[in-house]
Amino acid sequence: MPLVDRVRIAFSYAREGVTWRGLARILGQAPSTLWDNVRPVYKALASLTPVLPDGSPLETFGQVISWCQNHGLTMVIDGTELPCQRPEDADEQALCYSGKKKRHTLKTIVFTDCLGRIIWLTPLAPGAMHDFAALLDSGAVDELKSADLEYWVDSGFQGLGSRLAHVVLPEKRRKGEKLSRASKFFNRLLARERVVVEHANARLKSWRWIAPHQVLHRNVDENLYVAWLLTSY
């Protein structure tokens, strides 16, 4: 099969989430033959390194911190969930079942700058894990303690302000009280600024091979990495 065709098929699968059986049926080939032809393309993509917005290779979270500090940028942090097949192990099933999504998922914490460019993803965590717990588990908070940055987060990261300086959180309503008009106005402004990370999540998930329900639990990590690096280029 010509290399150009292999690349086109690879991107058809990654971008549109068409199954191998569907592609094989369209092209009139056996799924195993098709996969043997396209597998080298995915191996080549997985060997690439994500890049920062200036095009420099990105290998460590420390580079992200330095980039934001040197350019005076704010970090916007948000958790996002990716559906996966139900794990075989019963204990793992419980860990991966998301009460929010009502299905089995894996979670990653997305870091963008204030312009909405994805600059880091944490390793995948079980879908039942809270956003703040997943962030702590990734070790990113420990590295951020010495950084002089501002962070925009949502209410899923309550408690981050006690660990890092300059954390901007939505105002929270206390039990038995109502939010003041000023607090509501502030929350709307913060949500308007934070929407860049929601758009970044949407761009990441536009690579549909990380979103369909048929994605195997063991494949989500690699698929997410390739989607991130393709989004960063």
Side-chain angles (χ1 to χ4, degrees):
M1 182 182 292
L3 179 59
V4 173
D5 290 342
R6 295 184 185 192
V7 173
R8 285 175 176 169
I9 293 170
F11 277 85
S12 295
Y13 174 60
R15 191 68 171 181
E16 302 301 332
V18 182
T19 64
W20 285 117
R21 288 184 179 276
L23 286 170
R25 199 172 292 121
I26 292 169
L27 298 171
Q29 295 190 14
S32 58
T33 302
L34 189 63
W35 175 239
D36 288 341
N37 277 282
V38 178
R39 184 188 306 170
V41 177
Y42 286 113
K43 295 299 181 183
L45 290 173
S47 67
L48 297 175
T49 302
V51 297
L52 285 167
D54 63 357
S56 58
L58 175 57
E59 296 179 352
T60 67
F61 189 58
Q63 290 176 265
V64 174
I65 296 172
S66 298
W67 161 264
C68 290
Q69 288 186 147
N70 294 339
H71 292 80
L73 298 173
T74 297
M75 270 191 184
V76 190
I77 307 171
D78 191 35
T80 191
E81 294 183 56
L82 308 168
C84 66
Q85 282 190 349
R86 184 179 64 183
E88 295 180 1
D89 182 75
D91 292 334
E92 199 170 2
Q93 287 179 22
L95 287 173
C96 291
Y97 188 79
S98 169
K100 178 180 178 181
K101 298 293 184 180
K102 307 301 181 186
R103 64 185 306 174
H104 293 89
T105 66
L106 295 171
K107 176 174 293 184
T108 184
I109 305 300
V110 181
F111 291 77
T112 73
D113 60 19
C114 51
L115 300 177
R117 297 173 293 195
I118 299 175
I119 50 180
W120 192 257
L121 298 179
T122 62
L124 289 171
M129 185 178 286
H130 194 274
D131 287 357
F132 185 37
L135 179 63
L136 293 177
D137 193 58
S138 72
V141 174
D142 294 330
E143 294 193 56
L144 289 170
K145 286 180 179 177
S146 59
D148 184 21
L149 292 170
E150 185 174 80
Y151 313 95
W152 296 343
V153 297
D154 63 15
S155 55
F157 295 92
Q158 293 288 341
L160 186 60
S162 64
R163 297 171 182 265
L164 299 176
H166 313 303
V167 175
V168 182
L169 276 157
E171 294 287 341
K172 189 176 180 180
R173 181 180 65 85
R174 294 183 179 180
K175 187 175 181 179
E177 297 181 6
K178 293 184 178 180
L179 280 178
S180 65
R181 293 180 63 184
S183 294
K184 290 180 180 178
F185 179 68
F186 170 78
N187 288 351
R188 285 197 297 270
L189 288 180
L190 180 58
R192 190 179 302 167
E193 295 298 326
R194 286 193 68 262
V195 75
V196 295
V197 74
E198 303 293 348
H199 293 164
N201 290 340
R203 287 199 307 276
L204 191 64
K205 292 179 180 178
S206 68
W207 296 95
R208 296 182 182 275
W209 71 339
I210 64 172
H213 68 276
Q214 68 265 25
V215 175
L216 294 174
H217 184 280
R218 63 179 179 272
N219 292 343
V220 177
D221 200 2
E222 183 178 13
N223 290 4
L224 176 63
Y225 176 79
V226 175
W228 172 27
L229 68 88
L230 289 173
T231 304
S232 72
Y233 279 91

